[in-house]
Amino acid sequence: MPLDHADRPADPTVGCEREPIHIPGSIQPHGHLLAFGAEDLQLLHASAASEAVLATDLAVAFGEPIERVLPNDWVKVLRPKLRGLPSVGPMQLGRFRATSGAAFQAVGHRSPDGQVVLELEVEGDDEGPEARSTLEALYPGVRDAYARLGRVATPELLAATTAAAVRRITGFDRVLVYRFEDNWDGTVIAEDRNERLPSYLGLRFPASDIPAQARRLYELNPQRLIADAGYSPVTILQAEDGPPLDLTFSSLRSVSPVHLEYMRNMGTPASMSVSVIRGDGRLWGLVSCHHATPRRVSFAARNACDLVAQMFAVRIAAREEMAHAEARARLKGLEGRLLARMAEAKHFVDGLMAVPRDLLELTGAEGAAVLTEGACVLTGRTPPEAEVRRIAAWLAERGMEEVLESGALSELLPSAEAIADTASGLLAVSISKLHPSFVLWFRPELVRTVKWGGDPRKPADPTPSRLHPRRSFAAWAETVRQRSAPWSAAEVEAARDLRTAIVGGVLRAAEERAELTGRLERVNKELAAFSYSVSHDLRAPFRHIVGFSEMLREREGERLTDRGRRYLTTVIEAAENAGRLVDALLNFSQMGRTSLVPVGFDPAALLAEVRRALEPEQGGRPIEWRVSPMPLIHADPAMLRQVFQNLLSNAVKYTRGRDPAVVEIGCETAEKEFVFHVKDNGVGFEMAYAHKLFGVFQRLHRAEEFEGVGIGLANAQRIIERHGGRIWAEGSPGKGAVFSFSLPRPDAVTGESI
């Protein structure tokens, strides 16, 4: 049945928020746990059934060094690895076999309280091949996921690709990609499944399903496996009285009984989750896996899924940042026009209201109001003036200093329920430090239906000493009222920037800010900062992959099969290619920060130098170069060299297979600019896709056909635009391509010759 959002009852299970799930005092039974002192490696904690792997009785093992606790052949391998554990996160330590014949995968980590924790996950013959996954078995799936994620761009397709990749690796019946909303409700945005479990695609789940301390654990430890929701916890014993062992980074950690009941109610005896973490370390969402029967997944397979989730996180962050940057660029144009009009007007309010549509489009509002020293000017769909003044008085009373945004004004100001049809959403900026003056934007109520994965209201338990999750996951609809469409971050930033311009008294300089170059510079800085952050963070992992793979090939190469060595070579090559991509991205991000040093010079000499540098790329094949005379130009030689390097390198690459290969380079002198052309008789391209050529990572041909990372033309465009020129391309499939760019003529600007 529908329920108005405002009528939703309070969650009676708020006690879940205080459950200490990181110190449960027990583990799941599909393995054993031992914890040692960090300095002396003396046994401090052990799971109750761990005697099955010990070299002595558990009753006398506490306080003993590792040499007396574990078999000698285990100690020789584990002791140095345990001492070398990283400060955060688990590490795979190898495969061991007990005297009983049972095989274990050893995983080690350092607990937050300083102990060295060894977990031994059981390998069983009935678990399927995924339990004994190796690099050889997992790499193709990870590589395929990387390739597929690189070919899609929308958030929905990225999520669907991730869900399918994780399901291929793990074999779970259902894999969901679950995105957290601003209030920590979760929405299933993608799903890959068979018919054993029902679909949850598009359903929403309340924030209380994953309480705050659980989300914190997901940020710290991105992997969690529950092999069988019907398990009986195995107690962790300790040498002496003291605080329980912190299992934040544990793979075997026992989970809350409330969550196990939640899984049983959901009909999923086994589950696995991998966190999707933003670049700033915050939790974006989860890749959540479910199975209709108990299921174990090896640590290696979980790591592979973690890597896929990280790749998804990078791609989704890039997409979100790109969309944000594009929105900011669009809104910068509106802001520039508003500021220019304010600069020309006698009073800035007249400039703001000169073209009301621009003021509304700046934030995507349907109504706006400007209040200054008693005056109130309205445009679009707004509440009555008396209500607008009442809102302004409320803002002044609460001491708002800069920006306030809300998609549910009635939750902040109950009297606003009466004006929900015009002002369910409010975005407000204070524009005076002396007087209560504001610019207000309004959005009307957007009545919508939310489909929940079960009734989000959890009925109170008749026995208050025991918490219970909700028992039904049948789709349940809720009608949401008194809310508007949310304000985007770009819109809030646009409002803040407008406020800064008004308060800072820079109205007379607004025309300069409205210029296209100013807008592009701001967008380029935002993109460069993001590109630098992502590429810088990715550099080290790829170098580690190459370094450790080289070490493995050097030290263990003789023991590997030919196939193993071939796979290892593939890993190294893929990591090196990814490293080159990261370096190219760093170069692109730094391009906007490098200062221009224009001088007068002859580009013919620079072209000859570039042609000599490209001789190795020709591979000995003949190329007919047709170079026309060049005029003297005024530009930055180092940057222009990169432009010619990219354009001529592409011409060499895409004429491969042509006999003869012809590359023509010429320049035309127009009234105000020089126009350079680089023409080839290569594979060409469809003009319908010409707009993609200069985008970052945009390729019109498969990487298997022509090598490259897809950044060269984006770099060329950035360089030419920084010189005040433009760049474009024309082509036809099979008939070659012409890349052209212009540079301003100094004499056309200054009236002087170079």
Side-chain angles (χ1 to χ4, degrees), residues 53-72:
V53 297
L54 300 184
T56 184
D57 293 338
L58 181 57
V60 298
F62 288 109
E64 294 294 330
I66 190 172
E67 291 83 358
R68 298 182 184 176
V69 174
L70 293 175
N72 290 335

Side-chain angles (χ1 to χ4, degrees), residues 155-225:
E156 294 79 12
L157 287 176
L158 286 169
T161 301
T162 299
V166 170
R167 186 161 176 259
R168 279 194 296 271
I169 291 171
T170 62
F172 274 97
D173 289 330
R174 181 177 64 206
V175 176
L176 314 172
V177 175
Y178 183 92
R179 181 189 63 209
F180 288 112
E181 309 296 340
D182 290 340
N183 67 346
W184 294 111
D185 284 351
T187 302
V188 178
I189 64 171
E191 177 182 76
D192 194 84
R193 69 183 180 96
N194 55 29
E195 298 303 317
R196 296 181 72 188
L197 293 175
S199 173
Y200 281 178
L201 183 61
L203 297 185
R204 193 179 182 108
F205 295 83
S208 56
D209 277 14
I210 304 179
Q213 84 278 30
R215 296 193 298 267
R216 177 59 178 162
L217 268 186
Y218 281 127
E219 289 180 346
L220 296 173
N221 185 358
Q223 301 176 25
R224 191 210 62 194
L225 171 68

Side-chain angles (χ1 to χ4, degrees), residues 398-457:
R398 64 181 283 146
M400 192 197 82
E401 294 184 357
E402 292 189 4
V403 180
L404 179 142
E405 59 97 5
S406 174
L409 179 59
S410 61
E411 293 183 4
L412 302 176
L413 182 64
S415 62
E417 291 182 5
I419 53 173
D421 60 330
T422 55
S424 281
L426 171 68
L427 176 57
V429 295
S430 171
I431 57 174
S432 174
K433 296 182 179 180
L434 301 176
H435 308 285
S437 302
F438 304 94
V439 178
L440 311 178
W441 289 272
F442 302 102
R443 281 181 177 171
E445 178 183 45
L446 180 64
V447 180
R448 60 195 177 98
T449 299
V450 175
K451 292 184 178 179
W452 294 89
D455 187 343
R457 303 169 299 179

Side-chain angles (χ1 to χ4, degrees), residues 446-518:
L446 180 64
V447 180
R448 60 195 177 98
T449 299
V450 175
K451 292 184 178 179
W452 294 89
D455 187 343
R457 303 169 299 179
K458 296 180 180 179
D461 195 286
T463 54
S465 62
R466 172 86 161 84
L467 293 175
H468 285 288
R470 54 192 170 82
R471 295 172 172 81
S472 172
F473 290 85
W476 188 90
E478 174 187 9
T479 301
V480 178
R481 307 190 64 94
Q482 302 287 330
R483 287 181 175 271
S484 71
W487 307 94
S488 71
E491 291 161 348
V492 175
E493 286 183 22
R496 182 179 284 109
D497 285 353
L498 183 64
R499 173 198 177 274
T500 300
I502 297 172
V503 174
V506 295
L507 299 180
R508 295 303 171 187
E511 288 180 314
E512 294 180 3
R513 296 186 61 194
E515 290 295 327
L516 176 62
T517 55

Side-chain angles (χ1 to χ4, degrees), residues 619-637:
R621 63 188 179 92
I623 293 181
E624 183 179 339
W625 296 94
R626 300 175 184 174
V627 183
S628 302
M630 298 283 163
L632 295 177
I633 63 173
H634 194 75
D636 186 314

Side-chain angles (χ1 to χ4, degrees), residues 651-719:
V652 170
K653 177 166 53 179
Y654 291 110
T655 55
R656 195 180 298 152
R658 294 293 193 266
D659 189 12
V662 179
V663 180
E664 302 179 26
I665 309 165
C667 180
E668 300 173 1
T669 301
E671 181 180 357
K672 296 183 179 181
E673 61 185 7
F674 296 119
V675 180
F676 291 83
H677 305 285
V678 176
K679 181 179 180 181
D680 65 65
N681 65 338
V683 297
F685 59 87
E686 290 279 2
M687 283 301 293
Y689 304 107
H691 64 285
K692 292 187 174 183
L693 284 169
F694 300 97
V696 180
F697 304 134
Q698 296 290 340
R699 298 173 54 89
L700 302 188
H701 302 279
R702 293 183 301 171
E704 293 82 357
E705 296 177 314
F706 298 101
E707 68 281 359
V709 296
I711 290 184
L713 290 178
N715 262 336
Q717 182 182 51
R718 174 169 285 193
I719 291 170

